[in-house]
Amino acid sequence: MIKTRLCDLLNIQYPIIQGGMAWVATAELAAAVSNAGGLGIIGAGNAPADVIRKEINKVRSLTDKPYGVNIMLLSPFVEEIMDLVYEEKVPVITTGAGNPGKYIPKLKEQGIKVIPVVPSVALAKKMEQIGADAVIAEGTEAGGHIGELTTMVLVPQVSDAVKIPVIAAGGIADGRGLMSALSLGAQGVQLGTIFVCSEECTVHENYKRAIVKAGDRGTVVTGRSTGHPVRIIKNKLYKEFDKLEKSGASVEEIEKLGTGRLRMACVDGDVDMGSVMAGQISGLIKDIKPVKEIINTIIAECDSIIDGLNNIVRGEKLD
Ligand code: TUI
């Protein structure tokens, strides 16, 4: 049984939380993850509050377990999403793509648990100092908007720097990844790409198939020159970005090319010209499975890794 401080903090069975992926992390996926013993999360992305209010109500109708909302801090609707989570008394929020510092005092006042994504030790320390309950140390292997450091180097350094629980993210999709994260000092993991490839995830089938087909070198990073690098599956859109960036186009022109592309991939299933955000671990994902099976398999893999390690410690051979 894999149980950590994070399980106690969030009142969940397994130390697994789901990434708050815009257009992907809908109520159906979040409820499935929470019902399977993890923490399911609704991705607010760039959506307005009325859309997310409906998702929150749907999650509550599908599970009585804890759930969360991810707030993407570059969204034009951040303020109204904050008001929504106070009003709805959402138990947990995660944040991404920025520093949520100015919102933390009020979130804490409302009894909401706050878990920011941090791409550096400095931000992790600052978040702990101003009252975050845990941090997500997300490496550059992750899909979507990414930081510079890899999970392997970020997680142990953040773990040494803070006392609050650290959740490792980026490049994790199986029991080996979870065990490694725990070895690096994390108290749990956040998984994104593997949950996209679940039966309960409502994205277009083409999106899921693009991940399953991707292979180990199937992702690339677009938009480095804009200051907002985004990891996607290599496709025609990537080639357009590459051409534009090499031509010395302005940040505005490059950002304009990205507008509406995630919706195009998730809803319309256009995986050639849409933005198929996915992590480098896509190459490990071979099929689409129910969320419960994904989580149970990861936990079973951890148990067998522990058995194997015990054999090594006793001087027996590991197969
Ligand atoms: O946020 C994500 N992943 C995302 S957000 C997103 S929507 C988007 N689309 C295009 C451009 C930008 C965003 C798609 N995927 N992951 C968490 C994450 N947070 N990754 C990196 C960060 C981050 C970066 C800087 C967190 C904090 C931060 O702080 C900077 C500061 O001001 O201290």
Side-chain angles (χ1 to χ4, degrees):
M1 181 53 80
I2 308 282
K3 203 166 174 20
T4 70
R5 228 161 18 109
L6 184 72
C7 300
D8 299 331
L9 173 71
L10 300 177
N11 198 18
I12 55 177
Q13 193 179 357
Y14 303 123
I16 296 175
I17 76 169
Q18 170 232 310
M21 304 162 282
W23 287 106
V24 173
T26 59
E28 288 83 357
L29 179 60
V33 172
S34 290
N35 282 330
L39 185 79
I41 292 179
I42 296 163
N46 280 317
D50 56 338
V51 172
I52 301 308
R53 191 189 301 277
K54 288 194 188 113
E55 293 298 306
I56 291 171
N57 287 332
K58 203 188 281 180
V59 157
R60 288 195 184 125
S61 73
L62 295 170
T63 184
D64 48 16
K65 300 263 178 13
Y67 67 93
V69 171
N70 174 266
I71 304 178
M72 207 281 284
L73 294 166
L74 293 170
S75 163
F77 300 109
V78 172
E79 301 296 331
E80 62 177 68
I81 296 286
M82 287 291 172
D83 289 341
L84 173 70
V85 301
Y86 304 144
E87 206 179 301
E88 296 289 341
K89 304 232 173 301
V90 170
V92 183
I93 67 122
T94 60
T95 65
N99 178 345
K102 67 174 175 177
Y103 303 106
I104 291 184
K106 177 131 186 225
L107 287 162
K108 295 309 306 162
E109 234 172 69
Q110 302 284 319
I112 296 172
K113 296 199 174 86
V114 184
I115 312 184
V117 167
V118 295
S120 66
V121 167
L123 193 61
K125 282 173 140 171
K126 197 178 277 175
M127 293 299 101
E128 176 178 56
Q129 203 180 24
I130 59 180
D133 295 277
V135 286
I136 301 163
E138 186 180 285
T140 197
E141 298 94 320
H145 177 44
I146 49 170
E148 282 286 333
L149 299 176
T150 63
T151 304
M152 187 81 167
V153 304
L154 182 62
V155 174
Q157 294 185 73
V158 170
S159 297
D160 283 350
V162 298
K163 293 194 176 67
I164 52 177
V166 175
I167 299 165
I172 304 169
D174 66 4
R176 291 172 296 185
L178 172 49
M179 287 302 295
S180 306
L182 298 177
S183 301
L184 295 174
Q187 300 282 322
V189 290
Q190 175 185 272
L191 310 179
T193 308
I194 184 87
F195 285 137
V196 179
C197 294
S198 68
E199 284 178 4
E200 291 88 344
C201 176
T202 55
V203 290
H204 199 285
E205 285 301 312
N206 293 353
Y207 198 118
K208 300 181 189 183
R209 264 186 246 129
I211 294 173
V212 169
K213 266 189 13 205
D216 57 343
R217 302 183 67 219
T219 72
V220 284
V221 179
T222 61
R224 279 205 197 276
S225 63
T226 69
H228 292 131
V230 173
R231 183 178 299 285
I232 64 169
I233 300 279
K234 199 186 283 174
N235 62 2
K236 281 191 191 142
L237 175 66
Y238 162 68
K239 292 194 182 109
E240 294 290 316
F241 265 112
D242 197 39
K243 244 196 308 187
L244 203 58
E245 291 197 74
K246 282 182 181 145
S247 77
S250 67
V251 169
E252 290 73 27
E253 278 176 279
I254 298 166
E255 281 183 342
K256 196 162 148 231
L257 179 63
T259 308
R261 299 289 172 176
L262 183 58
R263 183 187 193 283
M264 212 184 263
C266 292
V267 180
D268 307 335
D270 184 347
V271 294
D272 293 325
M273 285 308 290
S275 180
V276 187
M277 295 184 189
Q280 286 185 324
I281 205 68
S282 294
L284 203 69
I285 300 169
K286 302 287 182 239
D287 44 22
I288 317 292
K289 295 194 291 195
V291 164
K292 203 169 176 57
E293 192 179 328
I294 292 171
I295 290 183
N296 287 346
T297 303
I298 290 173
I299 298 300
E301 285 167 354
C302 285
D303 289 339
S304 71
I305 292 168
I306 292 166
D307 287 348
L309 291 174
N310 276 326
N311 287 342
I312 292 184
V313 172
R314 282 194 236 102
E316 291 163 26
K317 247 183 18 195
L318 184 71
D319 284 336

